Amino acid sequence: MPLVEKLILYSGKSPVRFHMPGHKGGRGVPKNLRLMMEKNLFRWDVTEIPGLDNWHDPEGAIEEAQRLLAELYGADRSYFLVNGSTSGVMAMLGAALEKGDEVLLPRNSHKAALMGIILTGAKPVYLKPQVDEELGVATGVPLSEWRKALEQHPDAKALFITNPTYQGFCPNLSGISSEAKARGMKVLVDEAHGPHLAFSKRLPSSAGECKVDVWVQSPHKMLCSLTQSAWLHLKGRDLDRERLRSYLSLLTSTSPSYILMASLDVARAVMETRGRYWVERGLELAERARRSINEKTPFYCVGREVRGRRGVYDVDLSRLMVNVSSAGYTGFFVEKVLRKRFHIYAEYADFSNVYFLLTGGNTRDDVAKLVRALKRFPARKKKIKSVCFPGDLPERAMDPGKAYFSPAEWIHLDAAFGRITSDAVVPYPPGVPLLYPGEVVEKQHIEVIREIQKAGGYCQGIKNGRIKVVKNG
Ligand SMILES: Cc1ncc(COP(=O)(O)O)c(C=O)c1O
């Protein structure tokens, strides 16, 4: 049982968890609910049997649980999801768009959005996010750029926006959504990383407070439900509910897990009864860690000072973005040392930064261990330089869906000039797709890929120096 053996090894080392899920090994779930879930894992592992309601057509307990969830988030309707926010993102795009419809979205959207676009045959209009050169990451698209795009594409049917990004950067959601709704567009929000936002005044606005049609959240990331569970909320009548329902059904197993749905019910109950406490506790811990990292280690932990700078409207301070390149390290290196030497597990690292997620499931002891470990890294004289990204968006030769499903071949990067990509190429950092399916590879793209790889970065969509392109394209 190779996987089981790995899991035993991982959990046996008492890892310090700064990664998802937000329950942090169950510690963040109130004890009575945790014990109930643990005791009944196998006994409750059922799917749609008579008397237990039916996810695909709920009328009983699932419907009631979803109603309570909608009430909590101020939605008109909410749905439990068992295939992550990924399925919610795809379903909302499916519900809002017909083949050929234009949709505006930042180029650094999650890949589920690309899949939704491919599924619907919609035409994406990408907005370029700003890049913070010092941190080496993409940030967000300012309101002024959204305005320009709204004016240039008055017939676009929808706008897709992420709040917050993986890094915790938030857009001016209220401003952007109001302008888009005034023009009759549907506003779809990927709030996978933001189910906690509504529970603290110290956090950026959540989609539920803005003029949006639909928003999806992953409570497994920042709250205490089990991995892969998510939920989706709907407001108003502008989005076709039947179409949304039908897309959700299309993307969901005919045997949805009642364990995952029970964990969603638990997460909702926890947030209803002590949501503020849970979120404030995570925030307090993050603030404590941020202060100590900035005072006692050579690294820079990003804080509220980035608000209003380079595409950042607001920032979710319950996650830590620790810039290590300014002290001469790559994020990949620091993440590895923390994991191997200290059993401290970060959420993620890129070339310049390491990310840590803190929730009500973390403790002061976790923070103390992290700060102690980071203090062990001496500052280095030589700074790490971030890699530059080409200024213009690439030429599009084919619709993403057509390119994605066309016969394809893997060819060496040297031979890729002028060819049409059949899959996305996403260098980390900054995590913004350099090329989307259907776009033409230019010399500058090849150079950037090489530069990133030379510097030790990772490039999704490139394997052994090869790229996937449309055959005969
Ligand atoms: C911005 C964003 N949206 C959507 C998703 C997909 O969420 P899930 O993992 O719940 O499917 C992710 C996953 O990390 C994400 O970062």
Side-chain angles (χ1 to χ4, degrees), residues 383-425:
K383 306 273 180 277
I384 302 278
K385 198 173 134 290
S386 75
V387 180
C388 264
F389 231 53
D392 297 324
L393 291 180
E395 177 196 336
R396 191 182 307 158
M398 258 188 196
D399 279 343
K402 186 153 186 242
Y404 189 80
F405 290 117
S406 292
E409 58 184 336
W410 285 90
I411 61 165
H412 203 276
L413 263 180
D414 289 334
F417 174 63
R419 298 293 298 269
I420 302 168
T421 46
S422 98
D423 210 341
V425 175

Side-chain angles (χ1 to χ4, degrees), residues 243-308:
R243 212 175 142 96
L244 176 70
R245 180 78 226 161
S246 152
Y247 263 100
L248 285 173
S249 219
L250 177 93
L251 295 163
T252 301
S253 162
T254 46
S255 316
S257 159
Y258 276 55
I259 297 290
L260 291 186
M261 287 194 277
S263 85
L264 287 171
D265 210 12
V266 164
R268 191 269 311 153
V270 171
M271 295 317 282
E272 193 176 300
T273 51
R274 61 194 90 174
R276 269 193 64 168
Y277 168 74
W278 163 280
V279 172
E280 290 294 342
R281 187 180 145 79
L283 254 175
E284 284 301 331
L285 290 171
E287 285 294 9
R288 171 183 282 262
R290 181 171 290 110
R291 258 194 319 273
S292 300
I293 291 168
N294 285 334
E295 278 168 19
K296 299 177 186 162
T297 80
F299 303 132
Y300 162 52
C301 185
V302 173
R304 49 180 61 76
E305 68 284 349
V306 297
R307 279 183 190 148

Side-chain angles (χ1 to χ4, degrees), residues 154-389:
D155 296 329
K157 291 287 181 297
L159 168 159
F160 178 88
I161 189 160
T162 304
N163 182 56
T165 62
Y166 212 104
Q167 286 79 15
F169 302 136
C170 294
N172 181 347
L173 190 54
S174 156
I176 297 161
S177 60
S178 298
E179 299 211 12
K181 288 303 290 175
R183 288 167 185 268
M185 284 181 204
K186 296 183 183 77
V187 178
L188 325 175
V189 185
D190 176 354
E191 209 167 73
H193 290 279
H196 59 305
L197 297 181
F199 295 88
S200 170
K201 295 236 173 317
R202 294 196 286 159
L203 289 174
S205 304
S206 71
E209 299 163 52
C210 304
K211 285 189 182 159
V212 312
D213 294 282
V214 57
W215 67 113
V216 67
Q217 300 174 326
S218 291
H220 71 89
K221 296 189 196 296
M222 292 304 288
L223 307 183
C224 65
S225 67
L226 295 177
T227 300
Q228 211 172 308
S229 65
W231 50 46
L232 178 137
H233 312 287
L234 191 73
K235 254 194 322 200
R237 287 269 157 201
D238 289 351
L239 196 76
D240 185 335
R241 288 189 188 189
E242 196 32 55
R243 212 175 142 96
L244 176 70
R245 180 78 226 161
S246 152
Y247 263 100
L248 285 173
S249 219
L250 177 93
L251 295 163
T252 301
S253 162
T254 46
S255 316
S257 159
Y258 276 55
I259 297 290
L260 291 186
M261 287 194 277
S263 85
L264 287 171
D265 210 12
V266 164
R268 191 269 311 153
V270 171
M271 295 317 282
E272 193 176 300
T273 51
R274 61 194 90 174
R276 269 193 64 168
Y277 168 74
W278 163 280
V279 172
E280 290 294 342
R281 187 180 145 79
L283 254 175
E284 284 301 331
L285 290 171
E287 285 294 9
R288 171 183 282 262
R290 181 171 290 110
R291 258 194 319 273
S292 300
I293 291 168
N294 285 334
E295 278 168 19
K296 299 177 186 162
T297 80
F299 303 132
Y300 162 52
C301 185
V302 173
R304 49 180 61 76
E305 68 284 349
V306 297
R307 279 183 190 148
R309 240 171 54 188
R310 302 185 190 109
V312 180
Y313 178 74
D314 208 345
V315 60
D316 171 11
L317 293 173
S318 50
R319 58 184 59 216
L320 304 178
M321 176 181 186
V322 179
N323 179 260
V324 296
S325 58
S326 55
Y329 293 89
T330 67
F332 306 124
F333 177 80
V334 173
E335 184 279 328
K336 197 165 161 188
V337 173
L338 287 176
R339 180 162 40 88
K340 299 242 166 185
R341 277 213 4 228
F342 301 99
H343 304 310
I344 294 174
Y345 284 72
E347 164 61 23
Y348 160 80
D350 60 32
F351 194 65
S352 308
N353 312 285
V354 191
Y355 302 87
F356 304 89
L357 298 189
L358 281 100
T359 69
N362 285 105
T363 62
R364 283 185 176 195
D365 190 46
D366 292 346
V367 168
K369 283 184 179 145
L370 175 63
V371 175
R372 259 203 311 276
L374 291 177
K375 272 163 69 178
R376 304 280 286 272
F377 292 82
R380 290 174 174 169
K381 283 216 177 73
K382 197 162 175 268
K383 306 273 180 277
I384 302 278
K385 198 173 134 290
S386 75
V387 180
C388 264
F389 231 53

